[in-house]
Amino acid sequence: MLCTQGQRQPYGSVVAFALSRDLRAAAFATPMTTRKYRLLSECARVALVIDNRGKHPNDMMKVEAITATGRAGQLQPGPEFDHWAGLLMARHPYLKSFVRAPSTALFRIDIVRYLYVTRFQEVRQWVPESGG
Amino acid sequence: MGSGIGWVIPLENGADCDERYIGGKAAKLAQLAHAGYRVPNGFCVTTLAYERFLEVGNLANTIRIELGRKPLESMRWEEIWDAALRIRLAFLAVPIPLDVSQTIEAALEKLSRVRAWAVRSSAPGEDSANRSFAGLHESRVGVVGNEAVLDAIRVVWASLWSDAALLYRRELSLDPTRSRMAVVIQEMIDEQPSGVAFGRDPRGTQRNQVIVEAVPGLCGDLVDGMVDPDRWILERSSGEILEWRAGDRPNDQTRDPILEIDDLNTLLQTLRNVETLLGWPPDVEWTGRAERFTLLQARPITTVDQESGDTRSWYLSLRPGERRLSSLAEQVAQELIPQLEGEGERFAAEALDSYDDKGLAAAIEERYTAVQKWRQIYLDEFIPFAHGVRHLGIYYNDAVRPEDPYEFVGLLKGQRMVASQRNQALVTLAHQLREDDALKDTVRQAVHIGNSDPAKGWQEVRAKIRALPRGEEFLREFEDLLRGHMDVAYGSDRLADRPESILKTVLEMAQAANRARQRPLDGVPADTDAKALEQRLFDAVGEDRREEATDALTIGRLSWRLRDDDNVLIGRLESQVLRALDLGANRLRAAGRLHAGAKVGIAAGPAVAEALKDVRGGPVILPAELETKHPSLTITAGETPRQLIGQPAAPGLATGRVRSVRSTEDLGHFHAGEVLVCDAIQPTMTHLVPLASAIVERRGGMLIHGAIIARELGIPCVNGVPNAVDLLHDGELVTVDGHLGIVTVGPPEFDLEGVT
């Protein structure tokens, strides 16, 4: 779930994503005609919420969730674009034509912090910049 | 129900039923009935009914939440008990689904002539040669009326999740989430005598012997240990009586055996036949004689492993019955506590300085031996008696069915504990300082001037205070407090040796606004006090059971008070060991036989005593101090806690700065309004609690000392937080939510995200 905001209104969208190896960045794609694209052009601050409810449909205490906060910026054609597009398509091969479409924008999120939730309310925070 | 099995199966139809649906007890009874043995009429509520109940009541999620707070293997027994209490109340709060209850009631109506019922657990896999859940799941006997039967069924279902059952499953590495419970409902048989019989000796040593036990009345009296049985050991093949022992029957003048030869022969033949039928030597419960002889239960004999011991007996001790609690109440309150108190006072009154080395050595040995003795009494008597308050909790919840499973704690308010007397003395002294600015300022200046020699430093403080108009009086009362209440051990230190630390606490109390007043419990209705809750209990049980409820209240309250007192009094005794040891260690240091920095704890008692008696005077080697090891913490670089979870041990919400208390050094640094973080609050240091805005502890439990005093004072408390002392740092801002059991670390800011 990608969380964006604009006009003092938060907004949420389900997106496919890929992460860098060092977990300091992520990427997603969106059509340029979407609400979230417009919001992102106004405010770069985003959150990405990822969970594994599908693995534990009957036991909420086993569900894990991560909220990654950060800043999203659109990637322009070039080596970095190709790198991230490649990562995204490797993870989601069925989205190849979507990612490659001229009207699709590719965004990179520079992640500021992770909040990792387990056992319903246990939360740990990790800031990638501080090492590790 | 695609299996074709219904919610209920009559026992006469159960012989071919899969044990997965009716459990071991019902399956064996059905087989016995089918083979022509007399068993009480009845039926089995199947595991399918249990699953339906869980599903409709959404109880599986309740169970997962309660048992998912932390890994089961890392939960203390107290935490498992707390979770079990919540689960039990959740089970009692949910009605049995209508389709199931109607089926059960129809089955009861078919046996309409039955006056009273026995409602018993029958869990699949309950009993085998290697394990036995006997006594760990609940049963109810003498149940009258449909409503009471339905209630009893829910209690039996809930007992699948009792602390004892969960602990035993943990020990056997069984997954509790895969457990199911069927319930056997049978008419109560009013026959006598009753008893048990084993087809082989359960000790496993003499396999050609059969053991029979009998009591005059009901079998339950024997099984619960309320009546001492007559006992026979018979030679298995011939039936020869090898041994007979009469049970202890104080009111019965005759010593005649309860059973006659014919009865023993019937039992012996039954045991042989049942073994042939079921394929293993049985452990049976029976009642009646001759043509009225009835089998109540048959299960495999669980052999006691002499080497490893029967741990199940420890689990059974977690739930002492009323009789055991009453007997403990008398012994603990009338004998043991006064003895413990007296011994501590006697030791404190002795002028050890005047003793020569041999005399001091004898004093150390006497004190050391006393502490070992009382620590064992603590395990054997005080801890079992502490279950009295848990017994009250279950009793109250079963009767009243409150929303809050810990509402019963309100019944315990206002108990005059040793620790509350101490706190009152501190409050009185704090009041004196608050009323006298000159005295307060002098104390503040005096305690903050450091001195490398603590004893000298304290003399300087005394002198400054004594110089003031009301200083002498204040000092006298303060030193009375030190002698009367603070001469206790905290770890391997004596609080009385740190008067400046205690004085700092008094100063904090004086300076803090409104810290010492008692606050009402958050989340508890304004009109709820102990009397109101008491009346709620009496209304719920009715006039017939008022005496029983009064007994439960009396024992619960006494248990609550004494479980705090016994810790404080043992702390006083330990302080006397340390006092004697300090003296002895100083003499050895002066003689160059002990290193100046050597830490001398209670474990060093024998070594120090021997050294003092040893005229040859060699260097003294002390035993290493035992350290309690907790699981080590692995933290990724850059990782910090944001929300920690634990037990919601005392309701309320508070924000404050962390102050960890690890040792006596830290006690004097605690400031009013800080959040007290520690590994485990000991009753000997609960004098800090009135200053705290909240408490966070590593050790978990709704009824442990920190939780007790926090609820009394209306301070939020979250405990059972793993590695609390390592994860929370002094000065850090935390919010403690005692309603939900959450500790939130740091302010909810996006300070990093805004940086470009």
Side-chain angles (χ1 to χ4, degrees):
Chain A
M1 177 70 63
L2 173 73
C3 308
T4 51
Q5 57 180 316
Q7 300 170 342
R8 302 170 72 86
Q9 173 61 47
Y11 185 65
S13 326
V14 178
V15 298
F17 69 94
L19 285 165
S20 64
R21 246 178 147 61
D22 61 6
L23 302 180
R24 290 171 194 243
F28 65 92
T30 175
M32 294 175 190
T33 53
T34 57
R35 194 184 304 257
K36 61 180 168 303
Y37 180 81
R38 185 163 59 75
L39 291 176
L40 286 166
S41 66
E42 292 167 17
C43 179
R45 293 171 72 163
V46 298
L48 200 59
V49 182
I50 306 156
D51 72 67
N52 67 352
R53 272 173 289 165
K55 269 178 82 174
H56 305 288
N58 296 320
D59 192 347
M60 57 172 264
M61 297 304 275
K62 290 197 170 128
V63 173
E64 299 164 275
I66 287 174
T67 300
T69 64
R71 293 176 292 277
Q74 185 174 356
L75 294 172
Q76 299 304 320
E80 198 183 354
F81 182 103
D82 292 340
H83 167 74
W84 281 106
L87 280 181
L88 199 53
M89 290 186 294
R91 199 159 184 262
H92 303 281
Y94 46 89
L95 294 179
K96 202 177 274 186
S97 54
F98 168 67
V99 172
R100 288 281 181 213
S103 54
T104 295
L106 188 64
F107 281 83
R108 186 190 77 214
I109 303 173
D110 293 321
I111 292 170
V112 173
R113 88 176 86 203
Y114 285 98
L115 294 153
Y116 172 49
V117 183
T118 52
R119 296 186 186 278
F120 183 44
Q121 289 291 345
E122 189 171 77
V123 183
R124 276 171 278 174
Q125 172 176 282
W126 177 52
V127 178
E129 275 183 5
S130 55
Chain B
M1 291 175 285
S3 60
I5 307 287
W7 306 131
V8 155
I9 291 180
L11 277 180
E12 62 263 27
N13 298 345
D16 296 324
C17 189
D18 190 329
E19 197 175 302
R20 281 180 301 163
Y21 298 113
I22 61 173
K25 186 176 289 159
K28 310 296 184 298
L29 284 168
Q31 282 181 274
L32 292 170
H34 187 71
Y37 287 98
R38 191 161 184 261
V39 304
N41 284 325
F43 57 93
C44 179
V45 178
T46 64
T47 55
L48 295 178
Y50 169 75
E51 287 171 0
R52 174 103 175 114
F53 172 67
L54 282 194
E55 182 195 347
V56 172
N58 207 8
L59 290 166
N61 273 328
T62 300
I63 292 167
R64 285 188 198 108
I65 288 173
E66 287 305 330
L67 299 184
R69 284 181 210 275
K70 54 170 57 163
L72 194 63
E73 56 272 15
S74 68
M75 282 192 187
R76 299 176 69 229
W77 161 68
E78 284 90 337
E79 294 173 287
I80 294 178
W81 187 90
D82 294 336
L85 187 77
R86 293 190 191 101
I87 292 171
R88 183 192 181 94
L89 190 60
F91 271 55
L92 293 179
V94 171
I96 296 177
L98 197 57
D99 51 345
V100 176
S101 65
Q102 285 176 340
T103 308
I104 293 170
E105 289 191 89
L108 291 170
E109 292 308 317
K110 275 194 183 151
L111 297 164
S112 56
R113 62 173 179 77
V114 172
R115 286 172 293 121
W117 300 94
V119 180
R120 298 191 291 162
S121 65
S122 179
E126 203 171 36
D127 296 309
S128 72
N130 300 317
R131 63 176 182 234
S132 170
F133 282 79
L136 296 182
H137 297 140
E138 283 201 49
S139 293
R140 289 282 163 91
V141 296
V143 182
V144 176
N146 289 3
E147 280 305 310
V149 170
L150 294 174
D151 234 26
I153 290 171
R154 286 185 291 170
V155 167
V156 172
W157 280 338
S159 72
L160 194 59
W161 305 98
S162 72
D163 54 325
L166 285 168
L167 284 164
Y168 194 50
R169 282 185 172 82
R170 184 172 75 176
E171 183 184 318
L172 298 174
S173 301
L174 295 174
D175 180 0
T177 62
R178 296 166 69 91
S179 309
R180 295 290 181 269
M181 178 69 83
V183 183
V184 175
I185 302 176
Q186 292 174 286
E187 70 172 307
M188 286 289 296
I189 298 288
D190 188 12
E191 299 285 351
Q192 44 183 296
S194 309
V196 298
F198 298 92
R200 305 269 182 181
D201 189 327
R203 293 165 297 183
T205 55
Q206 297 291 335
R207 300 185 67 76
N208 285 332
Q209 292 180 354
V210 159
I211 297 182
V212 175
E213 293 181 344
V215 292
L218 296 177
C219 193
D221 292 346
L222 164 61
V223 171
D224 293 342
M226 287 171 65
V227 178
D228 189 40
D230 280 13
R231 194 166 198 263
W232 292 259
I233 299 179
L234 311 175
E235 206 283 325
R236 211 181 115 78
S237 42
S238 67
E240 180 193 348
I241 299 175
L242 302 174
E243 254 180 69
W244 170 64
R245 180 189 69 90
D248 181 20
R249 300 197 282 276
N251 298 326
D252 185 351
Q253 298 305 313
T254 112
R255 299 285 288 172
D256 292 339
I258 293 173
L259 297 179
E260 296 164 6
I261 295 294
D262 284 348
D263 302 318
L264 291 170
N265 287 336
T266 300
L267 277 162
L268 187 58
Q269 194 57 47
T270 299
L271 287 168
R272 289 187 191 126
N273 293 346
V274 169
E275 180 171 343
T276 303
L277 173 69
L278 298 179
W280 28 258
D283 157 6
V284 301
E285 290 177 20
W286 56 269
T287 189
R289 48 166 42 113
E291 67 278 2
R292 312 273 316 157
F293 177 78
T294 306
L295 285 175
L296 302 174
Q297 184 166 303
R299 58 184 165 218
I301 295 170
T302 306
T303 304
V304 174
D305 182 334
Q306 298 285 1
E307 286 179 6
S308 67
D310 179 13
T311 56
R312 196 174 56 84
S313 62
W314 183 78
Y315 299 134
L316 289 172
S317 77
L318 300 180
R319 204 184 310 143
E322 286 94 349
R323 243 196 196 193
R324 169 96 171 113
L325 284 170
S326 292
S327 130
L328 276 171
E330 203 175 306
Q331 193 188 7
V332 169
Q334 312 295 338
E335 293 171 31
L336 295 175
I337 292 288
Q339 273 175 30
L340 173 57
E341 194 166 16
E343 210 158 330
E345 283 169 0
R346 181 171 66 79
F347 288 153
E350 285 185 38
L352 298 175
D353 308 57
S354 63
Y355 292 4
D356 62 14
D357 285 359
K358 272 203 177 133
L360 183 57
I364 289 171
E365 284 171 337
E366 187 186 12
R367 282 152 177 75
Y368 178 82
T369 302
V371 162
Q372 302 315 309
K373 176 190 87 176
W374 284 104
R375 283 176 176 173
Q376 190 58 48
I377 292 174
Y378 180 82
L379 290 173
D380 294 340
E381 316 289 344
F382 292 158
I383 285 189
F385 185 56
H387 296 312
V389 68
R390 293 194 170 85
H391 173 77
L392 174 61
I394 292 174
Y395 187 90
Y396 182 89
N397 286 358
D398 281 3
V400 175
R401 312 286 165 96
E403 283 257 348
D404 173 10
Y406 287 90
E407 181 178 281
F408 75 92
V409 176
L411 289 163
L412 308 165
K413 280 193 75 173
Q415 296 299 301
R416 193 95 179 110
M417 295 188 270
V418 169
S420 36
Q421 293 170 38
R422 172 204 61 203
N423 286 359
Q424 189 53 51
L426 285 163
V427 164
T428 303
L429 283 165
H431 182 75
Q432 284 185 33
L433 287 186
R434 204 179 295 129
E435 298 295 305
D436 188 333
D437 284 339
L439 186 59
K440 185 172 66 180
D441 289 342
T442 301
V443 167
R444 186 189 302 121
Q445 286 164 29
V447 295
H448 286 106
I449 296 173
N451 193 311
S452 58
D453 181 343
K456 195 173 170 195
W458 176 239
Q459 292 310 317
E460 287 173 5
V461 169
R462 290 179 87 243
K464 284 184 165 64
I465 293 171
R466 190 181 271 128
L468 293 174
R470 285 195 276 187
E472 191 70 53
E473 180 194 344
F474 176 84
L475 201 58
R476 189 176 52 249
E477 287 186 29
F478 179 74
E479 289 180 335
D480 282 347
L481 167 79
L482 285 182
R483 268 189 305 276
H485 291 290
M486 307 308 284
D487 190 1
V488 290
Y490 178 56
S492 51
D493 292 324
R494 297 176 69 219
L495 291 190
D497 286 346
R498 297 184 181 260
E500 283 175 60
S501 172
I502 309 298
L503 196 52
K504 280 182 189 172
T505 300
V506 174
L507 189 60
E508 274 297 316
M509 289 173 89
Q511 290 174 153
N514 298 323
R515 284 321 297 186
R517 70 178 170 83
Q518 298 274 335
R519 290 184 287 175
L521 296 177
D522 283 349
V524 177
D527 65 347
T528 302
D529 59 10
K531 279 290 170 203
L533 293 175
E534 206 175 288
Q535 194 54 50
R536 198 177 292 181
L537 175 62
F538 290 146
D539 290 343
V541 301
E543 207 46 49
D544 288 349
R545 292 172 61 202
R546 191 180 175 104
E547 192 179 328
E548 175 193 89
T550 304
D551 287 344
L553 266 171
T554 304
I555 287 184
R557 283 170 168 158
L558 189 62
S559 158
W560 182 254
R561 177 166 65 84
L562 294 183
R563 70 190 291 278
D564 212 73
D565 285 0
D566 60 28
N567 275 265
V568 173
L569 293 173
I570 288 180
R572 287 189 187 171
L573 205 64
E574 289 171 341
S575 180
Q576 294 311 311
V577 183
L578 292 170
R579 180 168 80 101
L581 277 173
D582 279 348
L583 212 50
N586 285 341
R587 290 185 189 181
L588 294 171
R589 285 187 191 103
R593 295 174 61 195
L594 187 65
H595 188 266
K599 187 84 176 135
V600 180
I602 290 177
V608 170
E610 278 310 305
L612 287 170
K613 288 190 288 189
D614 179 6
V615 297
R616 287 168 302 162
V620 181
I621 300 175
L622 299 177
E625 291 290 321
L626 287 173
E627 279 183 38
T628 307
K629 292 221 179 293
H630 298 300
S632 59
L633 178 65
T634 307
I635 302 180
T636 306
E639 179 187 331
T640 52
R642 171 66 187 151
Q643 261 177 213
L644 301 171
I645 56 173
Q647 290 254 34
L653 196 61
T655 299
R657 300 271 169 199
V658 167
R659 175 75 61 181
S660 290
V661 173
R662 291 178 167 84
S663 67
T664 42
E665 296 291 338
D666 301 324
L667 292 174
H669 298 309
F670 192 84
H671 298 295
E674 290 182 327
V675 173
L676 174 56
V677 176
C678 62
D679 183 75
I681 286 195
Q682 306 298 332
T684 48
M685 42 93 61
T686 48
H687 61 280
L688 283 188
V689 175
L691 285 174
S693 59
I695 299 174
V696 179
E697 272 185 86
R698 189 268 318 157
R699 186 178 61 170
M702 296 293 290
L703 299 177
I704 62 175
H705 304 289
I708 293 170
I709 192 163
R711 286 183 88 107
E712 281 276 332
L713 296 175
I715 293 171
C717 175
V718 175
N719 64 29
V721 179
N723 303 113
V725 177
D726 298 322
L727 289 171
L728 298 173
H729 307 297
D730 284 356
E732 209 161 27
L733 192 71
V734 295
T735 298
V736 180
D737 184 343
H739 299 289
L740 295 175
I742 298 175
V743 180
T744 305
V745 184
E749 292 165 359
F750 288 112
D751 50 338
L752 300 176
E753 285 76 358
V755 175
T756 53

